Amino acid sequence: MNHPLYQFTFCPRCGSAHFQENNEKSKKCADCGFTYYYNSSAASVAVIENSKGEILVARRAKDPAKGTYDLPGGFIDVGETAENAVKREIMEETNLDVISLKYLFSIPNIYVYSGFEVHTVDLFFKCNVDDFSNLKAQDDVSDLKFIALDKLNPDDFGLLSIRKGVELLIQNKY
């Protein structure tokens, strides 16, 4: 397995090519002494149920995993809470307002974007929505639909962390 910073060859402070592995999660510049620690990016994931207990599932409109199922969500912006991020992402992707939410669990993931491996920790939230009349696929979602929990197939989900999260939901672990 590659070091998580293998694609970083130059020091971000001084530009030196002497930017070398320091330990399993950092690199250090031999010229200026700068040490960079690679930490996970955070993402939020929404588990939304309707009154029938069906789960809202999105179809990805873009790569990675274009055309596969997903749960609404996305990266948490700098300075944003995970709770606000999941509400924002739901609005951006589904046009729905979250009235309340509860943290469920987290799963580490590697999200490959433009050939770059982004290590993430995906935070899953159960989100309550009381009005689905404005439901509309938008942003990076091509389609939305509700599927009964017992009809969900984890293999239909293209992102590993979402697949694992769906497995936990099916097993009634949360």
Side-chain angles (χ1 to χ4, degrees):
M1 182 171 163
N2 289 330
H3 188 276
L5 292 171
Y6 77 95
Q7 291 177 297
F8 291 82
T9 55
F10 299 98
C11 175
R13 180 190 280 164
C14 74
S16 168
H18 301 118
F19 194 50
Q20 303 157 345
E21 289 183 21
N22 186 47
N23 59 34
E24 69 277 355
K25 60 182 179 178
S26 71
K27 278 188 149 183
K28 186 172 185 173
C29 180
D31 291 333
C32 74
F34 176 75
T35 301
Y36 182 77
Y37 285 89
Y38 188 69
N39 296 303
S40 293
S41 293
S44 61
V45 181
V47 178
I48 303 170
E49 289 183 52
N50 64 13
S51 60
K52 299 176 190 174
E54 299 167 320
I55 305 295
L56 182 61
V57 175
R59 187 169 301 279
R60 296 183 62 82
K62 299 176 182 176
D63 279 324
K66 180 180 178 179
T68 64
Y69 283 157
D70 198 358
L71 295 175
F75 284 99
I76 299 170
D77 291 339
V78 172
E80 185 177 43
T81 67
E83 294 83 359
N84 286 339
V86 76
K87 289 177 185 179
R88 175 185 50 76
E89 287 286 348
I90 291 169
M91 177 54 72
E92 289 174 2
E93 295 179 357
T94 71
N95 200 41
L96 297 176
D97 282 314
V98 173
I99 58 169
S100 65
L101 54 84
K102 178 185 172 192
Y103 172 77
L104 296 174
F105 54 86
S106 64
I107 297 176
N109 190 28
I110 296 177
Y111 184 87
V112 179
Y113 185 77
S114 296
F116 181 74
E117 294 179 355
V118 180
H119 291 251
T120 68
V121 60
D122 298 348
L123 307 168
F124 287 70
F125 291 89
K126 179 170 178 144
C127 298
N128 297 311
V129 172
D130 65 356
D131 180 7
F132 291 98
S133 63
N134 292 325
L135 182 65
K136 180 182 176 187
Q138 46 193 27
D139 194 33
D140 55 358
V141 171
S142 64
D143 186 37
L144 293 163
K145 68 180 180 178
F146 285 96
I147 301 176
L149 189 59
D150 64 348
K151 302 287 188 218
L152 287 177
N153 179 355
D155 293 335
D156 293 337
F157 292 80
L159 302 176
L160 182 60
S161 63
I162 304 300
R163 193 175 316 133
K164 288 179 179 179
V166 168
E167 289 172 357
L168 289 174
L169 293 169
I170 290 169
Q171 297 167 8
N172 293 313
K173 299 281 185 177
Y174 294 92

